[in-house]
Amino acid sequence: MLSLRIAFIVVPCLLAALWMLTPTASADEEHTKKAKDLVAAFTSRVRPLEVAVNRAWWDANMTGKKEAFQAKEDAQNKLDQVLADKEQFAAIKAIRESGKIDDPITKRAIDVIYLACLEKQLDEELLKEMTKLANEIEEQFTNFRAKVPDSSSEGGFKTLTDAEVRKVLKTSTLSDRRKETWEASKELGKVVEPGLKKLVKLRNEAAKKLGFANFHAMQLTLNEQKGDDLIKLFDRLDELTREPFKQAKAEIDVELAKQSNVKVDELMPWHYHDPFFQEVPAVFKANLDAIYAQQDIIRLCREFYKGIDLPIDLVIEKTGNDFSPREGKNPHAFCTDITRDGTDVRVLANVVANEYWMSTMLHEFGHSVYSSINIPEKLPYVLRSEAHILTTEGVAMMFEKMSKRRAWLEQMGVKVDDPKAFDETGAKMLRYQLLVFSRWCQVMLRFEKGMYENPEQDLNKLWWDNVEKYQLLRRPAGRNAPDYGSKYHIVGAPVYYHNYMMGELFASQLHHAIARKVFKDADPNTVTYVGNKEVGAFMRRYVFEPGRTMSWNALTRYATDADLSPEAFAKDFSGK
């Protein structure tokens, strides 16, 4: 591990670079001092409230209790009240527009605070109404469980966990059973639809009050992204992946048809192995789940991250080593930095011993090491976080891919009985996953953009139009249901999903940079990181330690020596 002394040396070097890029002609000490005072005052007011929100969020998602969700809502309202302070916002806006801050770190902190407060410059009642609605729908998500007909169960229905839904979709050879399970999982959409439609309208109302065309456009601005550039990037990705995806899906479809004893042209959305076809179905020669069924997934993660000098012991301890599914617990997986001071980072998960959860936990613990645990404490509180959503998702995605690499498993001490079959399956799944996921991200981006631009249109139709176009799935005959509402992110993390795709680009680009710089121009396909502490040192210096002092595109250039682009990603999905 780098010593604290050495770790802090990196930051001044970085700041020197920022200084050279920052105009100082009109800067002065008085304005800089005033800006620093504003940052300090903001931090003293907001920090305890953010910690309270994070703890309330954790309790609500771990228990599913109504009183916990009410506490979460109350905590968010208190935070929003401070962020909405108009006098505070006016002072921040004025010092930001003065152009007279001569310290780049303080200047960046002011920018970040400005963006955080901008979306809260609304009537208190509107803010509270949006928070209340979002909270209610998140509670519905946390407590929803699919129910399928079962004469032996009380009431004639059997309740399925999210893992049980996935197991049916992954293993059942009966089309009717697959269909009823898939449809049962989509019932959540009907539950949340009324509240979600109202929430979309409120979000748009808020955005327009702040001068934006709609909520989607506002969120992009707040996240330092440009709508036109984003669409150009996704149009380019559409062109790059369209034919390779079509070919990959044709191969996948043949195997899926065999599994359920149907013709290829009879395949429906429930014949795929997850509710949204966002993952590659496990239809190839080797069964990756069989290997992980006998493994302690948390132990493997602990040993892997320790080996690259990014230990996760604190995270496991703070989570109480509680990674098992249970009633009331949010059925998904998240990572949260509770205090943003390096002392309390947690991962919520529902681990089952299979490849999906091996990949997921490598992903979530990847988020956990890109946190205040490894971001220097000398940075201001508001900058002691990841540079951007897409950079933390990219780091997590880079690590998650290891679960499909035989070399990674064997270097971790796990015996693979049929190495050749695992290599063939793992390599194919890695390539095809990039294609499958990229097409799914197209659906999410285009749907959300369309929904906020015109919430009065037929959203059920908009959803399936995009699914058919980008994922090449058949719309079930006569189906007219709010299936979009069963995807958590549309409610709990709106206008977020495109960052996963940009994260994939960042992951590929960063992995290639590590192969080049740490592994001396090694073939990226052979690099697994296992036991190499230089990987941790590289990640600290070039990704973690800058915190949020840089924008996402500046950090990308700093870490990989290039702007974000699809080039490395294209090499990865082509297997080159």
Side-chain angles (χ1 to χ4, degrees), residues 298 302 312-323 365:
I298 303 302
R302 187 199 296 265
I312 57 172
D313 302 79
L314 173 68
V315 183
I316 294 171
E317 176 191 341
K318 288 298 180 179
T319 310
N321 201 18
D322 180 4
F323 301 104
F365 285 126

Side-chain angles (χ1 to χ4, degrees), residues 509 513 516-517 538 542 554-563:
Q509 206 161 308
R516 186 173 67 252
K517 295 181 177 182
F538 179 92
Y542 291 103
L555 182 78
T556 303
R557 289 191 293 270
Y558 181 68
T560 71
D561 301 326
D563 289 328

Side-chain angles (χ1 to χ4, degrees), residues 141 185-190 192 276 482-488:
F141 263 90
S185 75
K186 300 299 180 182
E187 286 297 305
L188 175 56
K190 296 177 184 177
V192 306
F276 297 100
D483 296 329
Y484 62 89
S486 61
K487 187 61 182 173
Y488 171 81

